[in-house]
Amino acid sequence: ALGMNKFVQREMLRAADIDVPQSILIRAGEEGSADLVATEIGFPCVVKPTREGCSTAIVIVKAKQELISALEKVFVWDADALVEEHLQGMEVTVSVLGNETKEALPVTETPWGKNLGYLTLEDKFLPGGAEMITPARVSPELTKRVQDTAVKVCEVLQLVGYPRIDMFIVPKAEGERIVVLEPNTLPGITPSTMVFHQAAEAGMTPSQFIDHIIALGLDAHKRKKGPL
């Protein structure tokens, strides 16, 4: 539940010194918040539902006058809209395997598709819809920073099994920002998703990977007291 609410989990991650996008929450009926967005976030910015996934209703807003229509699109899906800074850099994602002991898999680079400035639902799930590069074209040092950040996110939010963490690597003069967009608490597994690429880089066949996550699920339920 924490991982699905982008606003709440970002507050928790920020408190744990994990870099997350600068963002504000706008509730339905507060569409007059354009001045606040201009002051706190600026343009361009990204508007999305707080509790949806798979790029649902994402809008990149380039100017103040576009904000109301973007919010109306988001409010079809959620009563809460998240308005966040528009990050520029390399988008990456990494799965983390484990319950009590967690291990990050190799990092995947996910270039944007169709020139929309983000990966759409079609890009993510239709065969050939997006380019996914595993391992990501970054240094070993940067790879480790991304993997360590992903593991820390799972520890803070108490995620188990095979969550996948989406992040941006943002170039800065003083060193790259590793910015956590969101965790995928139960990521989809289809032939076109990157999780099998990461598993293959780690030496697992698809069937071995599925066997492993099933074993993790059985172990988690066997030992659980209260919610997972």
Side-chain angles (χ1 to χ4, degrees):
L2 289 173
M4 287 303 296
N5 189 314
K6 296 179 181 66
F7 182 75
V8 173
Q9 53 97 348
R10 285 180 182 179
E11 293 294 294
M12 294 185 67
L13 295 177
R14 187 180 291 110
D17 293 324
I18 295 173
D19 196 351
V20 296
Q22 183 180 2
S23 53
I24 60 175
L25 188 71
I26 297 180
R27 301 187 187 279
E30 298 177 352
E31 291 86 340
S33 303
D35 290 337
L36 178 63
V37 172
T39 302
E40 298 291 329
I41 306 298
F43 298 96
C45 63
V46 180
V47 180
K48 62 178 68 170
T50 303
R51 294 162 292 196
E52 287 291 338
C54 297
S55 300
T56 300
I58 287 180
V59 183
I60 295 180
V61 177
K62 298 179 180 179
K64 186 176 178 179
Q65 60 268 26
E66 301 173 6
L67 185 61
I68 297 299
S69 62
L71 289 171
E72 289 174 350
K73 181 178 179 181
V74 168
F75 290 144
V76 171
W77 294 88
D78 197 330
D80 295 341
L82 197 66
V83 182
E84 65 185 31
E85 62 177 309
H86 185 230
L87 297 168
Q88 295 290 332
M90 177 188 292
E91 189 167 358
V92 295
T93 187
V94 58
S95 298
V96 178
L97 292 182
N99 295 332
E100 292 185 346
T101 302
K102 306 180 191 301
E103 177 186 3
L105 292 181
V107 179
T108 296
E109 176 185 344
T110 54
W112 294 334
K114 299 183 180 179
N115 299 314
L116 292 179
Y118 62 93
L119 285 172
T120 66
L121 177 67
E122 292 79 11
D123 291 333
K124 291 177 177 179
F125 290 103
L126 292 181
E131 183 180 14
M132 300 175 189
I133 303 167
T134 310
R137 298 170 293 184
V138 297
S139 69
E141 294 77 16
L142 201 50
T143 295
K144 188 174 187 309
R145 284 183 58 197
V146 170
Q147 291 173 317
D148 289 348
T149 300
V151 170
K152 186 175 180 180
V153 167
C154 294
E155 291 172 344
V156 171
L157 299 179
Q158 300 180 13
L159 304 180
V160 298
Y162 67 109
R164 198 189 77 239
I165 314 302
D166 295 342
M167 291 171 273
F168 260 91
I169 300 174
V170 180
K172 291 191 70 176
E174 61 272 24
E176 294 87 352
R177 287 178 68 192
I178 307 298
V179 187
V180 175
L181 284 180
E182 61 185 12
N184 298 267
T185 58
L186 193 67
I189 299 180
T190 70
S192 61
T193 53
M194 71 289 292
V195 66
F196 288 122
H197 305 168
Q198 296 177 10
E201 285 292 323
M204 286 182 281
T205 65
S207 59
Q208 287 172 335
F209 174 74
I210 292 172
D211 284 349
H212 187 56
I213 63 175
I214 290 172
L216 287 170
L218 292 172
D219 175 67
H221 279 274
K222 181 179 179 180
R223 294 182 296 102
K224 88 178 187 77
K225 293 182 179 179
L228 285 176

